[in-house]
Amino acid sequence: MEFDNSFEVPLPPAEAWPVLMDIRKIAPCMPGAELTDVVDDKTYKGKIAVRLGPVALAFAGLIKFEELDNVNHTARVTAQGSDAKGRGAANATAAFRLESTGQGSKVLVHTNLTLSGAVAQYGRGVGMIQATAGQIMGQFAKNLRAHIAASSPTTAPVVARNASPSAPLASPAAKPISGFSLMAKVLWNAIVRLFKRPNM
């Protein structure tokens, strides 16, 4: 299945791009994600925990930059992961690009996702997958903006007690996506679509 997501970053493309490409620093902003190993500058290992309806899934796998254009601010990433309990796998290809906006940059993401095994049954509803991806992107963008604000030289650095002022700022904690709020959002979207249907 294919779907699109987007979010905004309060930095111009030339400044936003290096931030987005610093996987070590932005990984903690992704809800439920954990960077476990850096293979090289384009290949990473990690884990991510997500919910599809009432089912909690935990994937471990490999993420790789297949294409990276630092001039035009575009990238193509592939990700392969298997569920920790052997219930299936997920394979995804995501294309990223930045567009300049009046206030910063807009990140556009086109994802092609394939689920296999039992997890394909859990996520068989396209609406469920899109709602999950949309909520994850929304929370990631919120955490990323907080990270950028905390790292900005125009803001006073927050230094932990007994910590060195030169110590790196901690990334915001990425909370897991709430299954209840996700189900509520899917239900609401279904109601909106129902009322948007033309009268017969």
Side-chain angles (χ1 to χ4, degrees):
M1 65 187 73
E2 297 186 36
F3 49 89
D4 297 287
N5 298 100
S6 65
F7 60 91
E8 294 190 5
V9 180
L11 293 172
E15 295 179 28
W17 190 250
V19 172
L20 292 166
M21 292 300 103
D22 192 340
I23 303 302
R24 295 173 182 84
K25 288 186 178 179
I26 70 167
C29 297
M30 182 66 72
E34 177 188 355
L35 185 65
T36 58
D37 190 23
V38 178
V39 179
D40 55 45
D41 61 349
K42 291 185 179 180
T43 312
Y44 306 85
K45 290 182 180 180
K47 299 177 181 178
I48 187 166
V50 296
R51 273 190 174 275
L52 290 179
V55 182
L57 302 169
F59 292 96
L62 193 70
I63 303 167
K64 185 174 183 179
F65 282 89
E66 300 290 348
E67 297 176 8
L68 186 59
D69 187 337
N70 293 321
V71 175
N72 296 308
H73 306 132
T74 62
R76 185 169 64 88
V77 179
T78 58
Q80 300 175 333
S82 299
D83 176 61
K85 295 184 179 179
R87 292 172 293 185
N91 292 277
T93 299
F96 299 81
R97 62 186 175 91
L98 258 62
E99 288 186 354
S100 179
T101 67
Q103 302 299 320
S105 303
K106 187 173 185 178
V107 184
L108 297 101
V109 187
H110 178 77
T111 305
N112 189 336
L113 174 68
T114 302
L115 300 175
S116 59
V119 297
Q121 296 299 316
Y122 304 146
R124 59 189 171 186
V126 176
M128 177 70 75
I129 298 293
Q130 290 177 329
T132 303
Q135 192 167 357
I136 289 174
M137 283 289 182
Q139 192 167 320
F140 169 74
K142 181 179 179 180
N143 292 339
L144 181 61
R145 285 192 291 269
H147 171 73
I148 291 171
S151 303
S152 172
T154 60
T155 60
V158 179
V159 180
R161 186 173 296 176
N162 299 326
S164 167
S166 61
L169 291 169
S171 296
K175 298 178 181 178
I177 292 297
S178 162
F180 176 79
S181 63
L182 176 59
M183 290 299 292
K185 184 174 180 180
V186 171
L187 179 60
W188 175 251
N189 288 342
I191 292 171
V192 170
R193 286 196 300 271
L194 178 65
F195 281 96
K196 281 185 177 180
R197 287 179 181 175
N199 294 327
M200 299 300 291

